[in-house]
Amino acid sequence: MHIGTLSITWTSLILIVTSGYDDLSANKNAQQYRTGISCPVCVATNAVDGDIKTCTRGESFGTLYPEKSTWWYVDLGGRYNVYNIRIQFKDYGEMYTVRQRGRFAGFSLYVSNTTDRHDGYPCYKDGQELPPLDFNTNCITNGRYVIFYNERLVGTNYPLGYETNSVFTELCGVTVTGCVRLDVYGSNCDKPCSNNCPEPRCNISNGACYNCAPGWMGDFCKSKCLFGYYGSKCVQKCVGHCKENEPCNHINGTCDNGCLDGWIGVNCDKRMF
Ligand SMILES: *[C@@H]1O[C@H](CO)[C@@H](O)[C@H](O)[C@H]1NC(C)=O
Ligand SMILES: *[C@@H]1O[C@H](CO)[C@@H](O)[C@H](O)[C@H]1NC(C)=O
Ligand SMILES: *[C@@H]1O[C@H](CO)[C@@H](O)[C@H](O)[C@H]1NC(C)=O
């Protein structure tokens, strides 16, 4: 009894901690490769309707069928910063758990700017072990579409437990979390990205810029270029002769306080005759 209470407390704690990110997929548009004829009401949007009791069912594929693959995607409606993808596969109870995991097995997940998974970032590829029916993975990237893909190809040896003859995909819940606002990070989507990130976007988990604005360097773009360097990626060398041998401006290479005697030009790189 006592242990049971404890574990419930821990579960709620973890739920609270992870629920700070925004739900990006709720009630968004979704599509799948053909809804299964055995369940015409099992449409693609059932996975994002917030009701775990309604599921998708794609057309069967596998060795007994002409179709060898399937896909499903949700359109987030814009390019968002994604943090995590959770999939709740249909659970028919303990008797069928292994079969369901074998149907789910081998799937991959992509975040893409188009509906084509080949254009996307590969978030996850399932391997030897059968996946749990309630699965989630962190996928820190940005994009508009979250794509589920699975296949059973002829001539491929699949790991033990993979269902291969007749497979169909039943997704009851797909929850994509991230931040609705683009210029924030952190598990409550409330920390602003650094002003030195060139676009108002940063790593949603730790705030690191994807690259730095000219003149700045380091993971968080908080450091000026090293002495004597400036510009984009801090690779340009100061060429001028600044007053008092000061370093040039770390952003644009000019001498902020003028030139050494005998030199002219905004960069103080021309000899005065
Ligand atoms: C989507 O496009 C943006 C902007 O071009 C790019 O930064 C991002 O990496 C793309 N996302 C994916 C998953 O390819
Ligand atoms: C973002 O930060 C996380 C946590 O530090 C790291 O694991 C991940 O690789 C970073 N992602 C990118 C795209 O920089
Ligand atoms: C270079 O940057 C400094 C400091 O922001 C600014 O005062 C100066 O006008 C800039 N020079 C040029 C040529 O853009």
Side-chain angles (χ1 to χ4, degrees):
M1 254 342 249
H2 192 66
I3 290 168
T5 318
L6 244 182
S7 67
I8 285 166
T9 310
W10 275 108
T11 311
S12 349
L13 228 150
I14 289 160
L15 284 176
I16 289 162
V17 170
T18 55
S19 67
Y21 283 106
D22 301 325
D23 186 342
L24 302 175
S25 54
N27 300 308
K28 296 289 170 70
N29 258 319
Q31 301 283 337
Q32 66 189 348
Y33 171 78
R34 216 181 284 162
T35 301
I37 45 169
S38 58
C39 185
V41 297
C42 298
V43 294
T45 48
N46 285 356
V48 288
D49 64 1
D51 182 356
I52 198 73
K53 293 190 294 302
T54 63
C55 308
T56 72
R57 183 183 293 183
E59 193 53 274
S60 298
F61 64 104
T63 51
L64 298 180
Y65 289 85
E67 301 302 342
K68 303 301 175 200
S69 64
T70 196
W71 53 258
W72 174 97
Y73 69 74
V74 59
D75 176 1
L76 304 178
R79 185 158 68 87
Y80 289 105
N81 294 325
V82 170
Y83 179 71
N84 184 275
I85 303 167
R86 178 184 182 187
I87 299 187
Q88 291 159 285
F89 204 80
K90 179 131 185 169
D91 188 347
Y92 287 100
E94 226 173 286
M95 237 179 102
Y96 299 101
T97 300
V98 173
R99 182 197 70 188
Q100 287 302 92
R101 291 171 69 194
R103 287 176 176 171
F104 193 21
F107 72 98
S108 40
L109 292 173
Y110 301 82
V111 171
S112 182
N113 290 321
T114 72
T115 57
D116 185 346
R117 71 194 157 92
H118 298 103
D119 295 336
Y121 175 79
C123 293
Y124 182 79
K125 172 76 179 87
D126 192 42
Q128 289 290 121
E129 303 280 319
L130 298 183
L133 296 182
D134 188 346
F135 168 90
N136 81 86
T137 185
N138 286 352
C139 182
I140 297 172
T141 183
N142 67 82
R144 174 166 180 165
Y145 300 90
V146 175
I147 303 168
F148 171 98
Y149 174 81
N150 208 351
E151 63 186 16
R152 292 293 185 266
L153 303 179
V154 178
T156 301
N157 277 323
Y158 288 101
L160 199 69
Y162 273 48
E163 293 280 328
T164 53
N165 293 340
S166 166
V167 188
F168 52 82
T169 297
E170 296 169 287
L171 309 175
C172 303
V174 177
T175 312
V176 181
T177 50
C179 295
V180 169
R181 280 185 58 183
L182 300 180
D183 57 348
V184 293
Y185 75 98
S187 57
N188 292 313
C189 296
D190 59 355
K191 297 182 187 153
C193 296
S194 159
N195 289 333
N196 298 331
C197 299
E199 46 169 3
R201 256 176 210 282
C202 56
N203 183 318
I204 197 172
S205 156
N206 63 11
C209 302
Y210 288 113
N211 42 62
C212 297
W216 299 96
M217 55 184 258
D219 281 349
F220 299 89
C221 305
K222 293 225 161 90
S223 322
K224 294 179 178 180
C225 298
L226 296 178
F227 188 97
Y229 290 86
Y230 75 99
S232 175
K233 300 188 166 40
C234 294
V235 293
Q236 283 158 291
K237 264 202 157 93
C238 297
V239 290
H241 300 265
C242 302
K243 199 170 227 168
E244 323 258 309
N245 287 316
E246 281 174 2
C248 72
N249 183 290
H250 68 109
I251 296 171
N252 61 19
T254 63
C255 291
D256 293 339
N257 296 313
C259 305
L260 261 187
D261 286 349
W263 295 88
I264 54 167
V266 276
N267 290 342
C268 304
D269 56 351
K270 294 184 183 68
R271 256 184 207 289
M272 192 158 68
F273 290 106

